[in-house]
C-alpha cells in the first residue's frame, strides 16, 4: 500500500496539479495545505504511514489544493472573511459584554456583529471541508489508492504512462503540466529531440486520457 505522501501526490496528479509541493511537518494533527506557498504539509504520523487513516488525511489536504486550483467559490469566500472572522472570534464576545455592562448599545451590537463573522466562517468551513473529503474519496475509489502499488497507479490512469516512449531508444523529452509544456515550446523544441512526450489533463488524468 502507498504512503500518505504518495497518496497526496496521486490526488494532485489526478487533477493535473503540478505546482504544489508535499513536505513533512513535525507534530500531530498539523496536516494542512498552505495556499500562500502551494505546499501540502503532512505530519510525521501521516507522511510515511500506509494506514487508511493517513491516506485519508493526506488525500483530504490534497483535495484542498484541488479546490484552489479549480477556483472553488466557497473557499474564496472563506478566505475573504478570514481576517475579520479571526478578530471576531477574539474580540466580538468581549466587546458585546462590555457594551452591555456599560449600557452602550452600539458597542454591544458591534461586538455581536463582529462575533457573527466568526460564526459565518465556521458555517462556510463545513461545505469546504466536506467538498475536500468528497474529492479525496472520489480519487481514492477511482484510482484504487488503497489497493494498488505506486507504479501501477499511473498505468491504470493512462494506457500509455509517462516515460513509455523512452523505451523506444529515441531522443525523448517528457514534459508534464500546462505551464511546463508552454515553457518548453516557448522558443521551439531543441533540434536534437526526436520525440516530445507531453502529459496534460485539464480536468484530471483519468479514463485513459492525457497522453498526446
Amino acid at each position: 500500500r502507498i504512503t500518505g505522501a504518495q497518496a497526496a501526490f496521486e490526488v494532485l496528479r489526478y487533477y493535473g496539479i503540478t505546482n504544489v509541493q508535499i513536505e513533512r511537518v513535525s507534530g500531530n494533527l498539523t496536516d494542512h495545505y498552505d495556499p500562500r506557498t502551494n505546499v501540502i504539509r503532512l505530519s510525521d504520523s501521516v507522511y510515511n504511514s500506509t494506514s487508511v487513516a493517513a491516506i485519508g488525511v493526506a488525500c483530504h489536504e490534497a483535495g484542498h489544493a484541488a479546490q484552489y486550483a479549480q477556483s472553488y467559490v466557497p473557499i474564496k469566500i472563506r478566505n475573504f472573511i478570514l481576517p475579520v472572522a479571526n478578530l471576531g472570534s477574539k474580540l466580538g464576545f468581549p466587546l458585546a459584554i462590555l457594551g452591555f455592562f456599560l449600557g452602550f448599545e452600539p458597542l454591544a451590537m458591534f461586538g455581536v456583529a463582529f462575533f457573527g463573522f466568526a460564526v459565518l466562517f465556521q458555517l462556510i468551513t463545513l461545505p469546504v471541508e466536506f467538498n475536500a473529503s468528497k474529492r479525496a474519496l472520489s480519487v481514492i475509489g477511482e484510482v484504487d489508492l488503497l489497493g494498488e502499488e505506486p507504479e501501477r497507479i499511473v498505468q491504470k490512469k493512462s494506457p500509455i504512462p509517462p516515460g513509455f516512449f523512452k523505451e523506444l531508444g529515441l531522443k525523448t523529452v517528457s514534459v508534464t503540466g500546462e505551464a511546463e509544456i508552454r515553457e518548453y515550446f516557448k522558443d521551439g523544441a531543441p533540434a536534437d529531440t526526436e520525440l516530445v512526450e507531453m502529459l496534460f489533463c485539464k480536468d484530471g488524468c483519468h479514463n485513459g486520457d492525457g497522453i498526446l
Side-chain angles (χ1 to χ4, degrees), residues 76-159:
K76 287 186 173 183
I77 297 175
R78 189 182 74 165
N79 290 342
F80 180 76
I81 68 172
L82 177 59
V84 180
N86 284 336
L87 288 176
S89 63
K90 297 176 181 178
L91 302 178
F93 191 69
L95 288 176
I97 295 298
L98 182 62
F100 175 78
F101 279 109
L102 294 178
F104 189 48
E105 185 176 347
L107 180 60
M109 294 302 296
F110 180 76
V112 171
F114 221 24
F115 187 74
F117 278 101
V119 176
L120 178 62
F121 177 81
Q122 296 300 327
L123 292 176
I124 296 176
T125 293
L126 288 176
V128 169
E129 297 300 323
F130 283 138
N131 180 263
S133 293
K134 181 180 179 181
R135 292 170 185 265
L137 290 172
S138 175
V139 178
I140 289 173
E142 185 168 337
V143 183
D144 194 14
L145 293 183
L146 298 179
E148 298 287 351
E149 293 299 321
E151 61 270 17
R152 294 191 59 194
I153 293 173
V154 175
Q155 296 178 5
K156 188 167 185 177
K157 290 188 296 182
S158 175

Side-chain angles (χ1 to χ4, degrees), residues 5 29 37 74 83-84 88 103 131 144 159 173 198-199:
L29 302 178
T37 57
V84 180
N131 180 263
D144 194 14
V173 173
M198 296 176 289
L199 175 61

Side-chain angles (χ1 to χ4, degrees), residues 144-209:
D144 194 14
L145 293 183
L146 298 179
E148 298 287 351
E149 293 299 321
E151 61 270 17
R152 294 191 59 194
I153 293 173
V154 175
Q155 296 178 5
K156 188 167 185 177
K157 290 188 296 182
S158 175
I160 307 178
F164 174 84
F165 293 104
K166 291 182 179 180
E167 302 299 325
L168 301 179
L170 300 174
K171 294 180 180 179
T172 305
V173 173
S174 296
V175 287
T176 61
E178 182 178 10
E180 186 175 342
I181 292 173
R182 289 183 181 277
E183 179 65 24
Y184 181 80
F185 286 105
K186 183 172 64 176
D187 299 320
D192 60 345
T193 299
E194 295 180 285
L195 187 147
V196 178
E197 179 187 76
M198 296 176 289
L199 175 61
F200 170 59
C201 314
K202 182 178 180 181
D203 297 314
C205 296
H206 52 287
N207 297 327
D209 63 347

Side-chain angles (χ1 to χ4, degrees), residues 26-32 43 45-46 57:
S26 60
N28 293 316
L29 302 178
T30 51
D31 312 276
H32 66 280
S43 62
S45 60
V46 171
V57 170

Side-chain angles (χ1 to χ4, degrees), residues 52-72:
V52 174
I55 291 174
V57 170
C59 289
H60 176 86
E61 297 307 329
H64 283 307
Q67 289 174 331
Y68 279 94
Q70 297 185 343
S71 300
Y72 181 60

